[in-house]
Amino acid sequence: MPEARTLQGLTNFGSSLNPKDRLRERLDPETRDFVYACIGSDHEVAKNLQRQWELHPDELGIYEELVHRRIAAKEGLPPGFQKTWRRRDGDNGMWLFLEAVGKNEEWKAKGPPAGETFSRETLDLLRQSASAPRFKSYLPELRKHRLALLGPTDTMAGETEIFLYSISALWAPSIRYQNDALLTFSKAAKQAVVDKNATELAAVIKSYERLPGRLAGNGSTLLDLIPAASSWSEASKVMVQASRDLGLQEEELRMEELGKQFSDYQATYHRSRADAKPMSSLARVLVSGPLPDVVVEASAFEPGRRVEYAVMERMSALLAAIVVLLFLAVAVVESFRRGRRVNGLATGLEPLFHRVDLLWTLGLGVVVPLLWYFGITRGTAFGLRDIGMTYYENQPHPILIQEGAALVFMLLMIVQTVRWRVSTRTSFLALKPARPWIGWTMAGVAAVVMLSAGGVRWLPGNQQRYLQAIAATGGLPLLWLLWETGMMLFSSRDQALGGVLLCRRMIVPLTLLAGLLLACRGPLMATERYCHAQDNVTRADRERGGLTLLESQVVENVRRRMHKAFSEASSAR
């Protein structure tokens, strides 16, 4: 049941990620193989992608992904790689970069000759890639195509499945190998200093000024940008020192400016941290760290947060309805199981009750608790609806305490109101309980627990102990309710008349309450879908093939900074 898995994920998001999702089930076999070819171990995925490349020879994105996976699996470049890409896409420097990555791994696997710190072949391929007429990756288009085939989603459960798929599908297993290949620039610069070859160093710097920017220009996820950003951080420092050692003043100034821009970017990255308190569970997973150049207002998290609360309330209402139906079943059975004499007496007393008794029961037993619940959760800060569901983790959850206390409050109010009306109408039979104030007190405790659980928001510390105390206090009304139920069920037949009358008068309000709880599904589902459509933080970005809309915004900002830093790349995209 996807809703149950999603509800579990509200308090532990990782537990909601189940690889056996419904996305696979609703795709036909051919489409499923195409969409899920990228999921699995590197060796397994390489085989799947090879099969897909044979089936879809026009999908260059599949071939590009195949190269990445073969490199990650240490299987080397595909047979006939150079011939294939030169025939299909000969002016694209992206293939030269992948060839450089593959050749660099081959060079390392063979064991570098003594005194050789980098692969000359790798450096030549990187230079060619930097100066190629164009540089285009086909992976963003492939990702977009796959996400489109998965179909639209309008609920949190569906979005969780898309998120799980995207995490697996967008993973770039060759990041480490791309980083190693780009380090060739740094090693070549150091070697040029050793050789005192200023011309070679100038040529290395010129290529370096172009390639990271071109790589960043094709990134659609933060993972795609890691190799370029890492090179920006590390290689620029080496280039500055190398230029200074060989007296290349112009190159030194350019590399210093490059390093300064990285420092500015890094400072912005460390400053831009979002407050976790208003975040939804999914947002806390995705926005747990700094966001470069992105200011996310707390209001931006509201739609995603409301989606989670709608899911939680829908599942809570379902569970509450099941509990109410169990109490209803007990009431129905108890109404008629005591034998003909007791049943006859109870039936004979029915004319004493009037419609006003039912109105009292519905008003105090159903309407008042519901108004109290919605008043707290929708109209006051005690409802905690401006705080994410997983903010209070590793402790009794205040929202769940409120939900449980609300159910106990409603049941107790129904029992106490019906008992009051029964004792009023049959006062001549002395059916009034000995201490009715205890039941009303327990109902009041449940109502106060609902309110007090929200008070945790103002505590600067000891929140766990406070919530444990509130939860323990909320257990008192529950124990009282169970005690009263047990006393009624196990009472002797001679003392059963009051219980039978009580159960008969509870059937209608319990039925109505169960119906209301089940009817909540429709409005809460509509709320979930509406808020999901308004979520511009954690909703999947289908158009750009990224994980989320927020990540796409971050990626665009990083790309903009890298284009500015590596301005040479702008003229040769």
Side-chain angles (χ1 to χ4, degrees):
M1 189 174 183
E3 288 82 1
R5 188 168 70 247
T6 302
L7 181 64
Q8 183 185 12
L10 290 176
T11 53
N12 180 8
F13 184 79
S15 66
S16 67
L17 302 181
N18 186 340
K20 297 180 179 179
D21 52 63
R22 296 179 301 167
L23 296 177
R24 292 176 184 264
E25 299 172 2
R26 63 173 179 246
L27 297 175
D28 62 81
E30 182 178 346
T31 304
R32 183 168 58 244
D33 291 343
F34 178 81
V35 171
Y36 282 87
C38 55
I39 308 296
S41 67
D42 292 327
H43 291 284
E44 179 185 359
V45 170
K47 292 180 181 179
N48 295 339
L49 290 172
Q50 180 63 47
R51 188 160 52 248
Q52 290 300 314
W53 170 241
E54 294 169 358
L55 294 173
H56 307 279
D58 295 329
E59 281 279 2
L60 291 177
I62 293 179
Y63 193 60
E64 181 181 350
E65 193 172 37
L66 171 62
V67 176
H68 281 285
R69 287 292 187 165
R70 285 184 62 93
I71 291 174
K74 298 189 179 301
E75 296 179 0
L77 296 168
F81 171 70
Q82 189 176 101
K83 180 180 179 181
T84 299
W85 74 259
R86 288 192 181 279
R87 175 170 51 86
R88 302 291 301 273
D89 198 25
D91 61 344
N92 190 348
M94 181 272 297
W95 302 110
L96 285 162
F97 174 70
L98 290 181
E99 187 172 356
V101 175
K103 294 297 183 182
N104 190 58
E105 292 305 306
E106 291 179 11
W107 173 77
K108 291 193 299 182
K110 291 177 181 178
E116 189 171 304
T117 59
F118 65 94
S119 167
R120 293 284 178 181
E121 183 180 15
T122 299
L123 180 61
D124 290 341
L125 289 167
L126 291 175
R127 285 177 171 177
Q128 294 177 48
S129 176
S131 60
R134 65 189 185 92
F135 194 103
K136 175 180 173 58
S137 170
Y138 298 96
L139 289 180
E141 295 178 6
L142 177 63
R143 294 164 179 167
K144 178 181 176 180
H145 185 193
R146 285 171 172 163
L147 286 172
L149 291 174
L150 290 175
T153 60
D154 57 1
T155 64
M156 182 181 172
E159 200 67 25
T160 300
E161 293 168 347
I162 291 293
F163 179 62
L164 170 60
Y165 171 81
S166 297
I167 287 177
S168 303
L170 300 182
W171 171 244
S174 64
I175 287 177
R176 178 163 62 91
Y177 307 109
Q178 295 179 53
N179 288 337
D180 289 346
L182 288 170
L183 283 176
T184 301
F185 282 125
S186 300
K187 296 174 182 177
K190 293 178 181 178
Q191 187 62 45
V193 172
V194 173
D195 298 338
K196 300 187 184 307
N197 191 338
T199 303
E200 174 68 9
L201 177 60
V204 169
I205 290 177
K206 184 175 179 62
S207 296
Y208 169 71
E209 287 179 304
R210 297 167 67 92
L211 190 54
R214 303 186 97 182
L215 286 171
N218 283 271
S220 63
T221 71
L222 289 174
L223 288 174
D224 295 337
L225 300 179
I226 288 177
S230 298
S231 176
W232 187 12
S233 167
E234 299 170 10
S236 58
K237 300 175 184 177
V238 175
M239 302 292 182
V240 169
Q241 187 61 46
S243 300
R244 185 176 298 136
D245 292 342
L246 294 183
L248 298 178
Q249 296 181 356
E250 183 179 344
E251 282 78 2
E252 181 183 351
L253 290 174
R254 295 206 309 268
M255 292 298 100
E256 284 181 344
E257 176 62 24
L258 195 62
K260 180 180 179 299
Q261 291 195 42
F262 179 78
S263 297
D264 293 343
Y265 157 75
Q266 202 171 28
T268 303
Y269 198 91
H270 288 307
R271 285 197 306 267
S272 305
R273 290 187 178 271
D275 181 14
K277 195 169 187 178
M279 292 183 188
S280 64
S281 303
L282 185 55
R284 292 193 73 191
V285 173
L286 300 174
V287 197
S288 56
L291 302 173
D293 295 330
V294 175
V295 178
V296 184
E297 300 293 339
S299 58
F301 299 112
E302 182 179 359
R305 196 171 61 244
R306 290 180 62 190
V307 166
E308 291 191 348
Y309 278 113
V311 172
M312 181 274 300
E313 287 190 324
R314 192 171 79 244
M315 295 303 300
S316 297
L318 177 59
L319 294 175
I322 293 173
V323 173
V324 172
L325 288 173
L326 290 176
F327 273 88
L328 176 61
V330 171
V332 170
V333 172
E334 185 65 17
S335 297
F336 300 100
R337 79 177 182 90
R338 292 295 187 164
R340 184 178 301 177
R341 181 169 62 87
V342 176
N343 290 339
L345 285 172
T347 302
L349 294 172
E350 285 293 332
L352 296 176
F353 297 94
H354 305 295
R355 185 175 300 174
V356 68
D357 298 309
L358 179 60
L359 294 178
W360 273 111
T361 303
L362 296 178
L364 288 179
V366 179
V367 176
V368 168
L370 288 177
L371 290 177
W372 180 251
Y373 172 78
F374 285 110
I376 291 175
T377 59
R378 302 301 194 272
T380 70
F382 288 93
L384 305 176
R385 291 308 192 264
D386 57 332
I387 300 176
M389 275 286 296
T390 52
Y391 182 72
Y392 298 102
E393 55 186 356
N394 302 322
Q395 54 194 320
H397 204 289
I399 300 300
L400 299 182
I401 293 175
Q402 288 181 334
E403 298 291 317
L407 176 59
V408 173
F409 181 42
M410 285 188 284
L411 291 173
L412 279 175
M413 287 298 291
I414 290 175
V415 171
Q416 289 302 116
T417 305
V418 171
R419 179 171 285 166
W420 166 50
R421 300 314 300 168
V422 168
S423 62
T424 299
R425 295 300 182 186
T426 61
S427 57
F428 60 93
L429 293 177
L431 296 178
K432 183 178 180 180
R435 297 178 181 85
W437 58 271
I438 297 180
W440 291 110
T441 301
M442 291 296 107
V445 170
V448 172
V449 165
M450 293 171 59
L451 192 68
S452 301
V456 70
R457 67 178 302 139
W458 290 287
L459 290 182
N462 293 322
Q463 295 176 340
Q464 183 173 4
R465 291 184 178 180
Y466 175 81
L467 290 173
Q468 287 174 344
I470 294 297
T473 304
L476 295 177
L478 176 60
L479 290 175
W480 174 258
L481 178 63
L482 296 177
W483 170 263
E484 287 292 290
T485 303
M487 290 294 290
M488 179 188 67
L489 291 176
F490 296 107
S491 63
S492 64
R493 183 171 298 182
D494 294 337
Q495 299 176 338
L497 179 59
V500 171
L501 289 173
L502 178 69
C503 288
R504 290 191 179 188
R505 305 308 300 176
M506 286 174 56
I507 290 176
V508 173
L510 287 177
T511 302
L512 178 62
L513 179 58
L516 287 174
L517 291 171
L518 293 174
C520 287
R521 177 180 176 82
L524 290 172
M525 181 69 80
T527 299
E528 178 187 353
R529 287 173 173 156
Y530 173 79
C531 293
H532 176 269
Q534 306 300 314
D535 185 5
N536 292 322
V537 176
T538 59
R539 192 154 42 91
D541 186 358
R542 305 291 188 102
E543 290 301 314
R544 299 189 59 177
L547 279 175
T548 65
L549 293 168
L550 179 62
E551 185 192 18
S552 293
Q553 184 180 349
V554 174
V555 167
E556 189 58 38
N557 289 342
V558 176
R559 287 173 55 181
R560 191 181 302 114
R561 277 187 172 270
M562 295 200 73
H563 288 163
K564 179 182 178 182
F566 295 91
S567 55
E568 285 292 323
S570 303
S571 60
R573 285 286 308 281

